Amino acid sequence: MESYSEREVPPGADPLTRQLLRQMVARCMRLEPAELPGDDEDLVDHGLDSISTMRLISAWHRRGIEVGFPELMARPTLGHWWHLLSEQDTVRTP
C-alpha cells in the first residue's frame, strides 16, 4: 500500500479541499473516490482501519492541519471529518 511521504506534500501545497479529502481517504482505503460511502456513513464499517487513519493524520499534519485520532474516531464519517478539518485556516471550502 502506498503511503503519503513528505515529497508528496511539499511546503506551500494547496489547501485541503473536500475533493482532496475524499481522494486521500479513498486512497488509504484502497477505493476509488466514487466508491466511498456517503458523508454520514461510518468509514470503519466500510473498511477504514486505525493504521490508515494514522497515515491520514500524518499527511494532514504535514499540511499544517492539526487533528487527532480521538477527534476523528469519535465520529468516523467524511462529513464529520470535513467539518473538523474545514475549521482550520489551511483548508479551502469549495
Side-chain angles (χ1 to χ4, degrees):
M1 176 177 188
E2 293 181 32
S3 64
Y4 293 93
S5 70
E6 292 199 349
R7 289 177 294 170
E8 291 177 289
V9 186
D14 288 338
L16 185 66
T17 62
R18 187 181 284 262
Q19 179 181 1
L20 182 54
L21 168 67
R22 292 184 63 81
Q23 290 170 351
M24 292 174 81
V25 172
R27 185 174 180 185
C28 276
M29 293 178 67
R30 296 183 180 179
L31 299 171
E32 292 296 320
E35 296 175 302
L36 285 173
D39 281 352
D40 295 323
E41 292 183 57
D42 191 311
L43 293 168
V44 174
D45 290 345
H46 292 273
L48 181 72
D49 60 30
S50 59
I51 300 297
S52 296
T53 305
M54 293 305 295
R55 286 185 178 128
L56 288 165
I57 290 168
S58 178
W60 294 330
H61 283 180
R62 287 191 302 273
R63 289 177 169 273
I65 301 168
E66 296 300 322
V67 65
F69 187 83
E71 295 170 279
L72 295 174
M73 297 314 285
R75 196 164 138 215
T77 66
L78 288 168
H80 178 68
W81 286 12
W82 178 248
H83 174 75
L84 290 173
L85 300 174
S86 65
E87 290 179 338
Q88 300 196 30
D89 293 337
T90 57
V91 299
R92 181 182 307 150
T93 304

